[in-house]
Amino acid sequence: MLNPVRNALARPLAAALGLTALLIGCAQTSVPAPTPQLFTVENVDSGSDGTRLVFNRIGALASPPAVGVHNRGTLRLHNTGTDTLHLSSLGVDGPWTVTSTPALPTDVTAGASVDVTLTFTAEATLTTPTTLFAGTLTINSDDPGASAFPVTLSGLWQPYPERDPNGQYTEPTLQQIHDAMGWTFALNTASDAAALSGVNNGSNVPINQRGWVHAQGDEVLSAYWQAADAAQPVTVQEVGAWSSSDASTLYRYARGTSTLVKVLTHSATDYQSLFPHADGSTTKFAQASFTPSGAFGFNMDGYEYSDPANNDQAKDRANGCPGPCGQHLRFWPLTAGGQVMPGAYVMGVDYQSMNDDYQDDLFIIRNITPATP
């Protein structure tokens, strides 16, 4: 039999506990969920997300330029929601101008998209060193999840293509290109910087190691590669070229063979530019895909191999390479915003150990992994 006094005391206590539980439950469920973003932004230049646009410009060029540059970039805004999106305005901070866009304000219906093109307009004297400019594009709309969406703008300005009238290199360094692209992998370490001295004119210190087969920073040493996912193709995009005035061709070859298979060739006029165009085109970028069968290596222009043993090492040794030598193609795992992109690598090329700058040709290669030795 229940004690009536204890039962009488228990009822208000239970009620209080129930009220407390109710209040706790309300506190736990009253936090609103994040409002989803209704539009996505695509970088038309690289096919990546549109959080960054990268440009380059050369000061001593006539108009139209005899040397191709990537001074224009395009974003594509996709309305991925179910309602019409009202695009009200665009704000630009830095040396850029919006050169192509629908008249604003404008409405973007569900499933539709609009393009916004910007031009990099930085100006400087021809005695100014190569400079990295930074800015922001702000996309203002009624998107409840991103009413003021920021896009990072980066622009590389150089006074002359390759060299100035005195023969001094004016190209951006690999570190400047790395920073412009928003890459976050380490190109080198403090010990790399101290390893060698007396570098060549125009070299990327401390990237210059005279072809020494020695991992720098986050670099991955692998002479041969294979598809990370054998069911998917390997994709390649050339994201930069700073070399002499000609077209460059990337090849691949199966391990154990000498047969070169063409992957892509960039336009001869885009030899000092980000995102060079494909050979013979002014609209298509230099990019390609292929499906390998087993381990393969890369080759540039028929004489620079990803396998150092296949490369001419005479200049490396003459310039002080301690050995082993011949590392003229280097690979770093692609990271951006601190996030590692699985199976993606940046490949930097230096020709014949001319000045060891490793930005003669730059590629992003996806769906690869070091081949089993």
Side-chain angles (χ1 to χ4, degrees):
M1 180 175 176
L2 293 175
N3 186 316
V5 174
R6 182 181 302 170
N7 194 34
L9 293 173
R11 281 195 296 270
L13 177 61
L17 291 174
L19 177 60
T20 301
L22 179 61
L23 291 173
I24 292 174
C26 290
Q28 290 175 337
T29 59
S30 62
V31 178
T35 303
Q37 183 175 322
L38 300 182
F39 72 87
T40 60
V41 186
E42 174 192 356
N43 184 336
V44 176
D45 302 335
S46 66
S48 64
D49 69 89
T51 59
R52 178 180 293 266
L53 279 180
V54 189
F55 307 75
N56 81 292
R57 179 176 171 84
I58 300 176
L61 292 181
S63 181
V67 179
V69 293
H70 187 73
N71 65 333
R72 291 190 177 187
T74 301
L75 286 175
R76 183 161 294 153
L77 280 63
H78 299 270
N79 183 351
T80 55
T82 57
D83 298 323
T84 296
L85 180 71
H86 182 70
L87 183 63
S88 56
S89 64
L90 301 170
V92 180
D93 173 44
W96 284 266
T97 59
V98 177
T99 51
S100 177
T101 186
L104 298 178
T106 189
D107 290 333
V108 185
T109 58
S113 64
V114 295
D115 286 357
V116 175
T117 300
L118 286 86
T119 300
F120 180 43
T121 59
E123 296 285 357
T125 66
L126 297 183
T127 57
T128 301
T130 297
T131 303
L132 173 59
F133 289 85
T136 305
L137 168 70
T138 303
I139 302 170
N140 299 304
S141 71
D142 64 352
D143 188 329
S147 59
F149 183 82
V151 177
T152 299
L153 304 177
S154 294
L156 290 163
W157 181 93
Q158 66 189 89
Y160 295 91
E162 191 174 16
R163 300 173 189 248
D164 67 15
N166 296 319
Q168 298 297 307
Y169 282 92
T170 59
E171 298 173 341
T173 65
L174 183 57
Q175 185 68 59
Q176 287 177 312
I177 300 165
H178 167 282
D179 295 345
M181 295 292 290
W183 297 334
T184 54
F185 58 85
L187 281 174
N188 55 270
T189 65
S191 60
D192 296 329
L196 295 171
S197 61
V199 296
N200 297 328
N201 172 32
S203 65
N204 270 317
V205 183
I207 302 304
N208 181 354
Q209 299 289 296
R210 273 84 169 228
W212 185 18
V213 183
H214 166 72
Q216 301 176 77
D218 293 329
E219 182 184 0
V220 173
L221 293 179
S222 184
Y224 294 96
W225 300 80
Q226 63 192 40
D229 181 353
Q232 300 296 323
V234 173
T235 64
V236 182
Q237 180 173 17
E238 184 153 12
V239 294
W242 278 273
S243 58
S244 299
S245 55
D246 55 14
S248 297
T249 300
L250 175 67
Y251 298 93
R252 61 184 173 96
Y253 63 101
R255 182 166 60 184
T257 74
S258 58
T259 303
L260 299 180
V261 179
K262 178 181 172 181
V263 177
L264 61 81
T265 301
H266 78 67
S267 168
T269 59
D270 291 357
Y271 68 93
Q272 293 275 295
S273 181
L274 286 163
F275 302 108
H277 291 96
D279 188 32
S281 176
T282 58
T283 57
K284 296 180 179 179
F285 294 113
Q287 52 192 356
S289 63
F290 60 90
T291 303
S293 56
F296 63 91
F298 291 101
N299 172 280
M300 282 304 303
D301 286 333
Y303 54 86
E304 296 295 0
Y305 291 82
S306 56
D307 186 345
N310 293 340
N311 293 330
D312 184 354
Q313 302 174 15
K315 288 184 179 179
D316 296 340
R317 298 185 185 281
N319 289 333
C321 173
C325 306
Q327 189 79 352
H328 300 165
L329 276 65
R330 295 188 180 274
F331 298 83
W332 288 271
L334 176 62
T335 59
Q339 299 296 314
V340 178
M341 308 300 175
Y345 289 81
V346 172
M347 183 177 80
V349 178
D350 184 72
Y351 288 107
Q352 296 182 318
S353 195
M354 292 296 291
N355 64 350
D356 300 283
D357 55 8
Y358 292 95
Q359 41 73 299
D360 293 344
D361 292 280
L362 283 168
F363 302 88
I364 291 179
I365 307 172
R366 301 180 188 274
N367 191 34
I368 60 172
T369 190
T372 303

